[in-house]
Amino acid sequence: MKTTITSFLFFCFFILVMDASYSQQTDSLIYYSKIVSNPVQKNDLARAYRFFTHKKNKSSRNHIPTEEVYANQHLADIQYNLGYYRESERLNLESLKLLDQIPPGADELWINNTKIKILNDLGKNHANKKDFKEALKIYDKALKTATRQSDIQAILNNKAYIFEKQNLWQKALDIYRTLYHNSIKQNDSSKTARYLDNLSFLKSQMSLPDAEEGLLQALQIHVKENHKMGTATSYMHLLKHYQKNDDTLKMTLYSDSLIEISKKIANIEIKEIALKLKLEVSNSPFIKKYLNFTDSINLAKDIRRNQFNYYVYQYEAKEKDLNKSRLQNERLLYLIIAIGLIFVALYFILKYKHKKEKIQQVYHTEVRISRKIHDEVANDVYHVMTRLQDQSEENKTLLDDLENIYNRTRDISKENSSIDVSTNYQDLLIDLFLSYNSKDVNVMTKDLHRIDWNQLNDVKKSTMYRIFQELLTNMKKHSKATAVVFNFGQEHKKIIVNYKDNGIGSDLKKGNGLQNTVNRMESINGTITFESEVQKGFKVLITI
């Protein structure tokens, strides 16, 4: 009962921790997403950039394209807010490629909405590069698939901006007016301020009477709602409005305000605009000439950089195709190698299986011959011996010879009879060694109990048993030894057996007995070596 309660408490704790971790992660995403859209502190965008970079890298490592796209889009927004339009464009193009990697069955609505946002952002990037024609194409493409009102409004606002830059003011005015009235119905103060500011600034360019009133009203809403970027935009529009109307006093006032807010949001581009407008307050022709010259240089630099980026993207696309082709070739090569390895493995498996079957066939043959010798030859000899026991004295010599033949036949049968290695193998070996013990020969073992015989299969156990038996038989017949020692050892998975006797030795001319042991060891991938000299005993090293 105590264990059950402990497990339940641990489960509850685990759920609470996981829930807290998930909530913390979700809260962080919401928090940093808000910072990107409306930074307040100087380092807000830097902190958000660090957070989403970490999120992007983690998602990339874990192969989660949806999360990587989410992080990528926030990074693109940060770069755009900081004025790094080329980097923002690069991230948006990367996001489109990532969306193509999302497998079928994913959230199609999310994918569609994300693509619309990316297209909208790409349009803005083209607009900042003065490529208005391409920007309008991208916006129209996005409008065809957009379903959410917020997306449609953002795209229309950007189209109006393009029309404004092309001096198609009436088209732009119609769009801004529609967006402004819709935002009031939706009770969205942020959008109301943005669309009112855009509408009023266009009215200023068209010299309509209520332009200043609308610009000041939009500024009040931005300041009240603490929209730093919106406030900065309102200041810029007011500066240009007063510049158009030659109101240098208010230009000076709002240029100072713009410089201050640019410091708060750490936006160099806005600060540059504010300083430039402050210089434009001066009536010096040299300053105006310098400003015009600077604008021309910056425009030329932008064109050159954009051309460079275009060729870089083209090169990367070619490299990607080459890498894809190379990867396909590598996969084909790996497949061929894998198939080759399978065939090689299959060859060795079949070879081993055939070898194993041959060994088993040899054992079956030995057992069959042993039974035949025992059942037919030995029994017939025994019957002849029984009949001769009651005969005359002259047959006793023949009887002794028959008894000798009988004993040898029985030994041959015993040596080749079946072995039950399924029982305790160590006890089986002990019985074997004891069977060769006599008053003339002492067979001893060392460290037999230390060997893990379970690591050997039945075929190897039977083979080892036969080898020990043949060594002992050879010793009994030829060596005239009085002492025999089997020294057992194990190194990792290898079993090592040292055999030694104190017999008369030999010149190592392998007879059938010794050759059989060599053949048997080779059949189980083991080794056996012999060492002997006349009158210096006999040594054998077995490794399996």
Side-chain angles (χ1 to χ4, degrees), residues 374-543:
H374 180 271
D375 294 343
E376 296 182 13
V377 180
N379 285 340
D380 288 347
V381 172
Y382 179 77
H383 288 309
V384 172
M385 288 171 59
T386 303
R387 289 169 58 191
L388 289 174
Q389 282 178 354
D390 298 330
Q391 302 298 325
S392 61
E393 185 70 24
E394 63 185 32
N395 291 328
K396 287 185 178 181
T397 302
L398 180 59
L399 183 61
D400 291 339
D401 291 338
L402 284 173
E403 184 175 1
N404 184 37
I405 293 171
Y406 172 75
N407 289 332
R408 287 170 61 190
T409 305
R410 185 187 61 188
D411 290 342
I412 292 172
S413 176
K414 183 179 179 181
E415 288 170 7
N416 295 280
S417 60
S418 61
I419 308 167
D420 184 10
V421 294
S422 61
T423 57
N424 192 309
Y425 186 68
Q426 182 176 310
D427 291 344
L428 191 66
L429 291 180
I430 291 172
D431 290 342
L432 173 65
F433 298 144
L434 288 176
S435 68
Y436 282 87
N437 257 328
S438 66
K439 62 180 181 178
D440 298 321
V441 181
N442 185 17
V443 180
M444 296 169 285
T445 62
K446 182 180 180 183
D447 294 333
L448 174 62
H449 64 284
R450 294 182 181 274
I451 305 301
D452 180 17
W453 296 106
N454 290 327
Q455 71 184 62
L456 299 183
N457 57 39
D458 289 350
V459 172
K460 290 184 178 181
K461 287 180 181 179
S462 299
T463 303
M464 292 295 290
Y465 184 93
R466 290 297 188 204
I467 290 171
F468 295 152
Q469 189 179 54
E470 288 171 1
L471 289 174
L472 288 169
T473 301
N474 186 71
M475 174 274 302
K476 186 176 180 181
K477 290 180 179 179
H478 307 294
S479 72
K480 298 181 182 180
T482 59
V484 178
V485 178
F486 284 89
N487 191 351
F488 292 87
Q490 187 161 355
E491 295 181 2
H492 303 294
K493 292 186 177 182
K494 286 187 176 181
I495 296 174
I496 300 171
V497 183
N498 281 285
Y499 167 93
K500 185 178 181 181
D501 67 37
N502 62 349
I504 60 174
S506 69
D507 58 359
L508 286 181
K509 290 181 181 179
K510 296 177 184 177
N512 288 335
L514 294 181
Q515 187 59 49
N516 282 341
T517 60
V518 174
N519 295 337
R520 289 184 189 276
M521 285 305 299
E522 288 179 351
S523 70
I524 58 172
N525 297 323
T527 61
I528 183 167
T529 56
F530 305 96
E531 181 183 342
S532 180
E533 293 182 21
V534 178
Q535 301 302 325
K536 290 187 178 180
F538 191 73
K539 296 179 182 178
V540 181
L541 176 62
I542 300 170
T543 304

Side-chain angles (χ1 to χ4, degrees), residues 158-339:
N158 293 333
K159 279 195 70 174
Y161 174 79
I162 299 296
F163 291 140
E164 186 179 340
K165 290 298 179 182
Q166 292 178 316
N167 293 327
L168 301 173
W169 288 347
Q170 191 56 50
K171 282 187 175 182
L173 190 68
D174 292 340
I175 293 175
Y176 283 141
R177 187 177 285 119
T178 301
L179 291 173
Y180 170 60
H181 290 303
N182 287 339
S183 67
I184 294 175
K185 294 177 182 178
Q186 295 169 3
N187 196 24
D188 190 328
S189 61
S190 175
K191 290 180 180 179
T192 298
R194 184 187 311 132
Y195 298 142
L196 177 59
D197 188 51
N198 291 340
L199 175 62
S200 301
F201 181 64
L202 179 58
K203 286 182 178 181
S204 172
Q205 295 178 75
M206 297 172 69
S207 301
L208 297 179
D210 56 344
E212 182 179 4
E213 181 184 351
L215 288 170
L216 291 172
Q217 187 180 347
L219 174 63
Q220 288 178 347
I221 298 173
H222 281 310
V223 171
K224 182 181 178 181
E225 299 294 334
N226 198 25
H227 299 153
K228 300 294 183 183
M229 290 298 297
T231 303
T233 304
S234 286
Y235 282 144
M236 284 189 288
H237 285 168
L238 280 166
L239 272 167
K240 291 178 180 179
H241 170 74
Y242 293 127
Q243 183 185 33
K244 183 175 182 292
N245 292 282
D246 295 324
D247 192 338
T248 55
L249 182 63
K250 289 184 179 179
M251 275 191 72
T252 303
L253 174 65
Y254 284 109
S255 63
D256 291 338
S257 299
L258 184 57
I259 291 171
E260 286 302 314
I261 198 168
S262 69
K263 293 177 182 178
K264 292 179 182 179
I265 60 178
N267 192 307
I268 298 174
E269 298 288 337
I270 293 177
K271 188 174 183 180
E272 181 185 7
I273 292 170
L275 291 171
K276 182 179 177 182
L277 288 170
K278 201 168 186 65
L279 285 173
E280 288 177 356
V281 175
S282 171
N283 291 321
S284 171
F286 295 104
I287 291 177
K288 291 183 178 179
K289 187 175 181 180
Y290 167 76
L291 292 174
N292 291 332
F293 180 70
T294 303
D295 288 341
S296 299
I297 291 175
N298 290 334
L299 180 59
K301 285 181 179 179
D302 285 339
I303 293 172
R304 186 166 63 251
R305 287 168 183 164
N306 291 334
Q307 289 175 340
F308 171 78
N309 286 337
Y310 172 78
Y311 287 113
V312 167
Y313 289 133
Q314 291 295 318
Y315 175 77
E316 288 179 349
K318 290 179 181 178
E319 282 291 306
K320 184 177 180 181
D321 291 338
L322 288 173
N323 289 335
K324 185 177 180 180
S325 177
R326 192 181 299 115
L327 183 61
Q328 289 175 343
N329 291 335
E330 287 177 358
R331 286 176 178 171
L332 180 60
L333 178 61
Y334 292 149
L335 180 62
I336 293 171
I337 292 173
I339 292 173

Side-chain angles (χ1 to χ4, degrees), residues 55-208:
K55 188 76 177 172
K56 169 185 168 67
N57 294 336
K58 183 178 179 182
S59 302
S60 179
R61 288 194 303 271
N62 296 332
H63 304 291
I64 310 175
T66 52
E67 292 186 5
E68 189 175 354
V69 169
Y70 180 81
N72 226 31
Q73 282 301 282
H74 283 85
L75 291 172
D77 291 343
I78 292 170
Q79 298 288 13
Y80 184 86
N81 290 340
L82 292 173
Y84 303 132
Y85 306 122
R86 291 182 296 277
E87 182 63 16
S88 176
E89 181 182 0
R90 184 190 67 79
L91 289 166
N92 279 312
L93 291 172
E94 183 181 315
S95 295
L96 286 176
K97 294 176 183 177
L98 287 170
L99 286 177
D100 292 336
Q101 297 176 14
I102 297 176
D107 189 343
E108 293 184 3
L109 180 61
W110 178 85
I111 294 173
N112 185 63
N113 291 334
T114 304
K115 280 185 178 179
I116 291 169
K117 180 189 180 302
I118 293 172
L119 290 172
N120 191 27
D121 291 343
L122 284 171
K124 290 193 294 182
N125 280 296
H126 280 283
N128 281 290
K129 294 187 296 183
K130 315 297 183 189
D131 189 357
F132 301 130
K133 185 177 180 181
E134 186 63 29
L136 286 173
K137 283 183 181 179
I138 293 173
Y139 289 143
D140 288 336
K141 182 179 179 181
L143 281 172
K144 288 179 181 179
T145 54
T147 55
R148 294 186 303 183
Q149 282 300 312
S150 57
D151 292 331
I152 295 171
Q153 290 171 358
I155 297 167
L156 288 174
N157 182 70
N158 293 333
K159 279 195 70 174
Y161 174 79
I162 299 296
F163 291 140
E164 186 179 340
K165 290 298 179 182
Q166 292 178 316
N167 293 327
L168 301 173
W169 288 347
Q170 191 56 50
K171 282 187 175 182
L173 190 68
D174 292 340
I175 293 175
Y176 283 141
R177 187 177 285 119
T178 301
L179 291 173
Y180 170 60
H181 290 303
N182 287 339
S183 67
I184 294 175
K185 294 177 182 178
Q186 295 169 3
N187 196 24
D188 190 328
S189 61
S190 175
K191 290 180 180 179
T192 298
R194 184 187 311 132
Y195 298 142
L196 177 59
D197 188 51
N198 291 340
L199 175 62
S200 301
F201 181 64
L202 179 58
K203 286 182 178 181
S204 172
Q205 295 178 75
M206 297 172 69
S207 301
L208 297 179

